[in-house]
Amino acid sequence: HTRVVRLVGKAGHMPLITKYLLHVQRENVQSVNEAINEIWMKEGNHKGLRASIEEYHDFDLISLAQKLEKDDLLEFRRIAASLYKLAKRYEKSIEISKKDDLWQDAMETTAESKNQKAAEELLEYFVEKGEKECFAALLYTCYDLIRPDLALELAWRNGLVDQVMPFMTQVFRQFHDDLGTINERLRKEDEAKRLAEEEAKALEEQQQQQDAAYVGGYGNPMMAPMALAPPPGTGMGGGMGGGYSGNMQGGGGGYF
């Protein structure tokens, strides 16, 4: 297919094999995709071009975007912006959308970029253009990217308090919920710490009671074996000078 495209392209008769190209495009060959995209551009078929680039991605994306952004047809410039967004060149995509007043495209691209600076610059741009509805819409589209203090200051200075109030209401609600979550976590941590301290204290008291019981039952633990031994000088019989040793010496009485 690449060889066919090259040969027919040199002859300048590419539109004559459009049906053939559409039939083999299912194989997603780069040369075929680029040939079809070129045909749709020359014919001004923006719907066919958009369908082609959305379904078959094997083509030089930046090269096509650079051609489309200079086209006179608005829809082609819009496709160029979407191609730059697909290539993660968000600033270029936003710039094209702003030039053509494609506010929704600009906001969606900004939200996808996750770029705080780009979001706040677009917000200021809407203020300068007097686009109140877009100002309010961007606050929700890029809610996580715009600082509340900046939004409130812009609104206060430019008579957009009504437009900013829903955003600020949501901000205060989120702040309240987040603060409640933090307080609950701290409360649980304090409770767990208190229970751990009480358990440690109970174990310590239990150990002290066990030690006191041991010492009270046997006296000094180191002296306990001596307390069980018979006094010095006493025999097995229990009397002084008696017992087994006396019997051995006197021969009388006897052990038995």
Side-chain angles (χ1 to χ4, degrees):
H1 303 309
T2 300
R3 185 166 177 266
V4 171
V5 170
R6 184 173 65 252
L7 292 174
V8 177
K10 287 182 179 180
H13 300 307
M14 195 68 71
L16 297 178
I17 62 170
T18 301
K19 291 185 177 180
Y20 160 77
L21 294 174
L22 291 173
H23 179 72
V24 300
Q25 192 179 18
R26 69 189 68 178
E27 298 183 21
N28 197 27
V29 179
Q30 180 175 349
S31 59
V32 174
N33 294 336
E34 292 179 347
I36 291 177
N37 294 340
E38 189 72 23
I39 291 172
W40 294 149
M41 283 182 60
K42 291 181 178 179
E43 294 183 359
N45 187 349
H46 62 86
K47 292 183 178 179
L49 179 60
R50 184 173 290 276
S52 175
I53 64 177
E54 287 179 353
E55 188 170 358
Y56 304 102
H57 301 153
D58 192 359
F59 61 91
D60 191 338
L61 189 149
I62 298 299
S63 176
L64 179 59
Q66 290 173 343
K67 294 177 182 178
L68 292 173
E69 69 173 301
K70 301 174 183 177
D71 198 278
D72 295 333
L73 191 62
L74 173 62
E75 286 299 327
F76 279 164
R77 296 197 299 273
R78 190 176 185 184
I79 292 174
S82 65
L83 289 175
Y84 280 120
K85 180 172 70 171
L86 188 63
K88 300 188 183 304
R89 295 180 60 174
Y90 299 111
E91 292 183 2
K92 184 66 174 179
S93 177
I94 295 170
E95 178 185 345
I96 295 173
S97 298
K98 286 166 63 177
K99 286 181 180 179
D100 290 323
D101 295 344
L102 299 173
W103 308 136
Q104 183 176 353
D105 291 354
M107 288 188 283
E108 291 176 354
T109 302
T110 304
E112 185 175 323
S113 71
K114 304 297 183 183
N115 188 317
Q116 184 185 61
K117 181 180 178 181
E120 294 180 348
E121 287 180 351
L122 185 59
L123 189 69
E124 294 175 354
Y125 177 79
F126 285 150
V127 172
E128 294 173 1
K129 296 285 289 186
E131 296 290 340
K132 296 182 179 181
E133 293 78 10
C134 293
F135 176 86
L138 183 64
L139 290 175
Y140 275 98
T141 305
C142 299
Y143 176 81
D144 295 331
L145 301 177
I146 298 175
R147 291 171 295 174
D149 60 315
L150 175 65
L152 186 59
E153 181 180 355
L154 288 173
W156 175 60
R157 290 180 178 275
N158 297 278
L160 298 171
V161 175
D162 290 342
Q163 284 72 25
V164 80
M165 282 308 296
F167 170 77
M168 295 305 301
T169 301
Q170 181 63 29
V171 168
F172 281 119
R173 174 58 185 270
Q174 183 178 358
F175 175 78
H176 177 270
D177 292 344
D178 291 345
L179 185 60
T181 301
I182 294 173
N183 288 334
E184 180 65 16
R185 185 173 70 244
L186 292 176
R187 186 191 66 79
K188 290 182 179 179
E189 291 178 355
D190 291 342
E191 181 68 14
K193 183 178 180 181
R194 184 183 64 81
L195 292 175
E197 290 177 352
E198 290 181 354
E199 183 178 356
K201 184 177 180 180
L203 290 174
E204 183 179 358
E205 292 177 352
Q206 183 180 1
Q207 185 64 39
Q208 291 177 353
Q209 292 175 359
Q210 291 177 353
D211 293 343
Y214 178 74
V215 173
Y218 298 100
N220 190 334
M222 298 299 296
M223 301 298 294
M226 297 180 63
L228 299 177
T234 61
M236 294 294 292
M240 293 296 294
Y244 181 74
S245 59
N247 293 332
M248 290 293 291
Q249 294 177 0
Y255 179 64
F256 302 100

